[in-house]
Amino acid sequence: MEQQRRKVYETTFILNATLDDAQIDQIIEKFRDFVTKQAGEMKVLEKWGRKRLSYPIQKKNNGFYVISEFTAPSDMISKLERYYALDENIMRFLTIQLSEKALKAREQQAKLIEKEESAELKPAVRTGAPGESELKATEGRK
Amino acid sequence: MMERSSRSQRPQRGGSRMQQRGNQRGNQRGGPQRGPQIRKKRSCRFCDHKDVYIDYKNEKKLQRFVSEQGRIIPKRITGTCSRHQRMLVQAIKRARHLALLPFVSEAVK
């Protein structure tokens, strides 16, 4: 029963970019601990890094983006959002539930992109003057 | 008699003759009500693949569907189908929340 109620979530949050890398790593580590403590299972934890914001948030023009994907019971999300709100270094956050359809579509899109990339590589070798170094490079990629 | 005189001076009514003229040298005078206009068919960019997920994190792709001021472009202009426009709008709004896209662009402010 408990297994069925678990859902896949994706969460993105923006950290204060004026912090040191060490401090940022510390916050991310804390977040990871929080998720695992609340019976969540971390799938992806990706640092996007510092980016310029499209509009200022809390009078800051830059932010450090972190993206994470995890499965968790649904009551964990309200706790997570409260945790976000209490942490002063987290400027913005967004948590969304990934539906099965979205997951499936995303997988297929990833496959398509891979296919396109491999398709683009092959004709490039044929049409472009086939220098030996180029050929070797593409072989190496395969 | 009436017809002849009007034709020689200024063809007003749309008929077979008007259409011939239109074919010969571009339909300059014809408004939208005169005969079927040939329009470039717009099609939904997302309908090429069966399953589509529009990711809010891909702001470069979303930017195509947002005007210079940062407004969402209506589907009658982009040609996106209703289903995908709904998904697109959700993605754009999510991207705005995360400051990936502007609510109002800098130039307007």
Side-chain angles (χ1 to χ4, degrees), chain A residues 10-14 48 51-57 65 67 92-94 96-98 101-106 108-109 112 116, chain B residues 46 49-59 61 63 83 87 93-106 109:
Chain A
E10 184 183 67
T11 184
T12 311
F13 53 90
I14 309 175
W48 248 15
K51 266 175 76 93
R52 208 189 136 74
L53 305 173
S54 306
Y55 54 87
I57 300 175
Y65 284 74
I67 299 156
R92 217 21 101 78
F93 55 87
L94 174 76
I96 61 165
Q97 184 192 315
L98 290 173
K101 258 189 190 173
L103 284 169
K104 198 178 142 199
R106 217 165 57 156
Q108 288 197 339
Q109 273 176 353
L112 269 175
E116 275 171 23
Chain B
F46 300 103
H49 307 299
K50 199 187 155 205
D51 295 308
V52 184
Y53 172 68
I54 303 172
D55 197 349
Y56 63 90
K57 296 190 293 292
N58 194 345
E59 80 247 50
K61 261 193 179 173
Q63 240 152 25
R83 203 166 79 95
M87 292 160 81
K93 287 178 179 175
R94 281 172 177 169
R96 279 180 181 165
H97 178 73
L98 288 171
L100 297 171
L101 286 181
F103 283 98
V104 183
S105 88
E106 293 286 322
K109 281 180 203 165

Side-chain angles (χ1 to χ4, degrees), chain B residues 16 23 26-27 46 52-53 68 71 82-83 91 94 102:
Chain B
S16 59
N23 287 340
N27 200 356
F46 300 103
V52 184
Y53 172 68
E68 261 174 52
R71 302 171 76 175
S82 304
R83 203 166 79 95
R94 281 172 177 169

Side-chain angles (χ1 to χ4, degrees), chain A residues 12-116:
Chain A
T12 311
F13 53 90
I14 309 175
L15 292 171
N16 186 350
T18 52
L19 300 172
D20 306 336
D21 286 352
Q23 282 173 304
I24 284 171
D25 282 342
Q26 212 180 340
I27 293 164
I28 294 168
E29 228 22 73
K30 251 198 207 163
F31 164 74
R32 191 207 291 272
D33 284 348
F34 181 86
V35 172
T36 45
K37 244 183 223 171
Q38 300 286 338
E41 192 193 329
M42 192 70 83
K43 279 182 162 180
V44 184
L45 182 61
E46 199 186 322
K47 279 189 267 181
W48 248 15
R50 288 183 173 78
K51 266 175 76 93
R52 208 189 136 74
L53 305 173
S54 306
Y55 54 87
I57 300 175
Q58 294 175 12
K59 295 182 183 172
K60 292 181 189 80
N61 279 321
N62 288 293
F64 192 100
Y65 284 74
V66 183
I67 299 156
S68 156
E69 226 179 278
F70 56 88
T71 59
S74 52
D75 63 334
M76 180 252 195
I77 297 305
S78 55
K79 288 178 195 164
L80 179 70
E81 303 233 305
R82 186 175 152 72
Y83 168 81
Y84 279 151
L86 291 176
D87 195 328
E88 279 179 5
N89 292 314
I90 295 171
M91 288 152 56
R92 217 21 101 78
F93 55 87
L94 174 76
T95 311
I96 61 165
Q97 184 192 315
L98 290 173
S99 63
E100 271 176 44
K101 258 189 190 173
L103 284 169
K104 198 178 142 199
R106 217 165 57 156
E107 247 174 59
Q108 288 197 339
Q109 273 176 353
K111 270 184 205 168
L112 269 175
I113 289 166
E114 263 177 43
K115 261 187 202 172
E116 275 171 23

